[in-house]
Amino acid sequence: MRSSEITEQAMGDIPEIDLTDPAVLGDLPAAYARAREQSPVARLVAPGFGPFWAVTRHEEARATLADPRLEINESSFMRPDVPEHCLRYMRTMSEMNGTEHARLRRLVAPAFTPRRAAAFAPRIEAIVDRLLDELPDGDSVDLLAHFARPLPMEVICELVGIPAEDRPRWREYGAAVAAGHGDGFRDAIPAIMEGARAAVEKARSEPGDDLISGLLGLMEEDGDRLSDDELVTLVWHLVLAGQTPTNLIANAVVTLFAHPGQLAALRADPGLMPRAVEELLRWCAPALLTVPRFPREDVEIGGVTIPPGQPVTVTTAGANRDPRVFADPDTFDITREPAPHLGFGHGPHFCVGASLARVETGVALGALLGRFPGLAPAGETPYLPDPGTLRVASLPVTLRS
C-alpha cells in the first residue's frame, strides 16, 4: 500500500495525507475531500513536522476555529529574521489571544467595516483602471505578474497613505512578499517596517484621508488608543495578509474560464458579482489550510482527542465543499445563497480585512471582464505545489478587447 494514499492508520480510522506525494499535491481539494468523507479529523504528514492534525468537516471546523482552548502563537508562523531594531514590530495581532487580541481587534475593526470598504471602492477602481491601462501589448499577457500581483500592494499603499513617489519601491516589496522566500523576502520585511514607521510619523504631523490618520485620531471612551509601535506592526501585517486578493483574483479567473456558463452569466448580470465572490471564496479560496492552533489542554474534535501542544489546522478546501452544509457542493454556482464558507476563517481570528478583500476582488473582476469581453486563457495555467495555498505560477491570457 502506498504511503501517499489516504489509508486507515493503526491508531484508528483516522486518514493520513502525505503532503509530499505529487499526486496529492496535484489535487489537494480532492485529497482533503476524500479524508473528510472518512473522518472529521485527518493526520497530515509533512517533512520536519511531528503529528499534525487537520479538521476536515465544516461543523467541526467552525467549532475548532472558535474554541478558546486552541491558541495561535508564534509557533504558528514561520518568522523571518529581522534586524534587532525591528523585533518590536514582530508580534502581530494574529499571534495574540484572549483579552490582548480582543483589545487590538476592537481598536482596529472600525477601519475595516463593510461600509468603510464600500466607501473605499472608488479609490480601488482608479487603481484597477490604471493597472489595466498599463498592461503590456502582445498576444499573451501574464495577468498574475501585471495585474493580480501588484494590485493588493497598490491598494494597501492607497489605504495607508504611502506617498506616490515611494510606491514603486513598495510594489517591489509586495512582489518579494508574494514570493514568500529568498533574499528579497528577507530584505523586504524590515524595509516595509521602516516605511510603515515613516508613514506613521507623517500621518501624525500631517493627517490625511488614510487609515493611519484615522486610527491615530481614534480613541476609545476609556482613553485607550493604538501606540505607534502597534500601528507600524499593523501596517506591515496588512502587507503580508493583504496579498490574499492576488491569489483569489488569479484563482477566480482560472475558475471562470473552466466554467464558461457561469462566466457568461456574470458578464450578462454584473449585479451577481457579490454572490460570485462568495462562491469563489468557497470554491477556490487561496487558503487550503488555516494557520495552526495549539491546544492548551486535551481537546476532543470529532471524537478524536488532541493532546496539548500538537498543531491543529482546518482544511478549508474540505470544509467548504462539505455536503453536510452545501447542497451539490462540487458544483460551482455563482447564484448560490447562502454560502457559509470559511474562506476568511471563523471565530476571533476571522480576517479583519475580509470586507476590503471582497470589494477589491469584486472591483478587479468586474473591471477585467467589462473591459475585455474576449478574455481567454492563452495556454496552461500551472499551479504551484503548495499544500497550504492554492496559487498559480503564472496566468497567461489573451485580452481580445
Side-chain angles (χ1 to χ4, degrees), residues 76-389:
S76 300
F77 302 92
M78 297 183 66
R79 285 182 160 218
D81 292 327
V82 297
E84 183 76 22
H85 69 280
C86 291
L87 291 176
R88 63 204 286 188
Y89 309 127
M90 285 299 295
R91 191 161 180 268
T92 69
M93 186 167 59
S94 289
E95 297 180 17
M96 299 176 184
N97 299 282
T99 56
E100 184 184 29
H101 174 266
R103 169 189 168 264
L104 277 181
R105 184 90 181 196
R106 185 187 74 244
L107 290 169
V108 169
F112 294 95
T113 62
R115 179 179 295 181
R116 289 286 183 91
F120 195 66
R123 294 163 72 173
I124 298 176
E125 290 168 0
I127 294 169
V128 166
D129 287 342
R130 176 171 56 78
L131 288 175
L132 293 179
D133 289 342
E134 295 172 355
L135 288 177
D137 295 327
D139 295 333
S140 176
V141 173
D142 183 354
L143 208 59
L144 177 67
H146 296 286
F147 181 64
R149 185 172 288 154
L151 175 60
M153 182 58 87
E154 294 284 347
V155 170
I156 290 167
C157 286
E158 181 70 17
L159 180 71
V160 169
I162 302 301
E165 60 271 19
D166 293 340
R167 293 189 184 185
R169 185 166 69 251
W170 280 69
R171 186 184 284 196
E172 293 177 8
Y173 299 157
V177 168
H181 59 83
D183 293 344
F185 177 79
R186 180 200 62 207
D187 296 339
I189 300 301
I192 291 167
M193 291 175 175
E194 287 299 316
R197 188 174 59 80
V200 170
E201 292 175 356
K202 182 177 184 296
R204 188 176 291 284
S205 60
E206 303 173 34
D209 182 20
D210 58 74
L211 173 71
I212 296 177
S213 297
L215 290 173
L216 280 170
L218 181 67
M219 180 182 290
E220 292 286 285
E221 292 181 3
D222 60 4
D224 193 12
R225 68 194 319 162
L226 291 167
S227 68
D228 284 8
D229 281 4
E230 288 170 337
L231 277 169
V232 172
T233 303
L234 172 66
V235 171
W236 93 261
H237 184 223
L238 275 176
V239 171
L240 287 184
Q243 303 308 306
T244 295
T246 288
N247 296 320
L248 179 56
I249 291 165
N251 293 347
V253 172
V254 175
T255 297
L256 289 169
F257 284 160
H259 298 84
Q262 297 293 296
L263 175 57
L266 186 56
R267 286 190 185 280
D269 183 4
L272 288 172
M273 184 61 75
R275 288 162 71 181
V277 170
E278 297 307 306
E279 178 69 346
L280 288 161
L281 282 160
R282 185 189 75 87
W283 186 265
C284 59
L288 297 171
L289 300 171
T290 63
V291 171
R293 286 149 168 81
F294 296 85
R296 291 188 285 105
E297 59 191 65
D298 283 349
V299 174
E300 183 178 311
I301 303 174
V304 178
T305 299
I306 312 296
Q310 293 195 358
V312 179
T313 185
V314 164
T315 65
T316 49
N320 281 344
R321 299 197 195 183
D322 190 341
R324 298 158 189 81
V325 174
F326 301 97
D328 201 9
D330 293 323
T331 296
F332 176 68
D333 179 7
I334 63 170
T335 66
R336 183 186 299 275
E337 200 171 31
H341 61 79
L342 301 177
F344 289 122
H346 178 68
H349 286 278
F350 179 82
C351 176
V352 72
S355 293
L356 183 65
R358 284 180 164 110
V359 170
E360 185 176 336
T361 301
V363 168
L365 291 176
L368 188 65
L369 298 180
R371 185 180 294 205
F372 302 110
L375 186 73
E380 293 295 319
T381 303
Y383 275 88
L384 292 170
D386 184 339
T389 307

Side-chain angles (χ1 to χ4, degrees), residues 34-102:
R34 289 195 296 271
R36 179 194 64 224
E37 295 314 306
Q38 280 188 254
S39 168
V41 177
R43 283 164 54 90
L44 304 183
V45 176
F49 291 95
F52 204 101
W53 301 92
V55 184
T56 61
R57 294 179 185 169
H58 194 277
E59 180 180 353
E60 288 82 356
R62 282 175 60 91
T64 297
L65 296 175
D67 193 330
R69 298 173 299 171
L70 292 147
E71 295 184 338
I72 294 179
N73 56 40
E74 64 180 37
S75 298
S76 300
F77 302 92
M78 297 183 66
R79 285 182 160 218
D81 292 327
V82 297
E84 183 76 22
H85 69 280
C86 291
L87 291 176
R88 63 204 286 188
Y89 309 127
M90 285 299 295
R91 191 161 180 268
T92 69
M93 186 167 59
S94 289
E95 297 180 17
M96 299 176 184
N97 299 282
T99 56
E100 184 184 29
H101 174 266

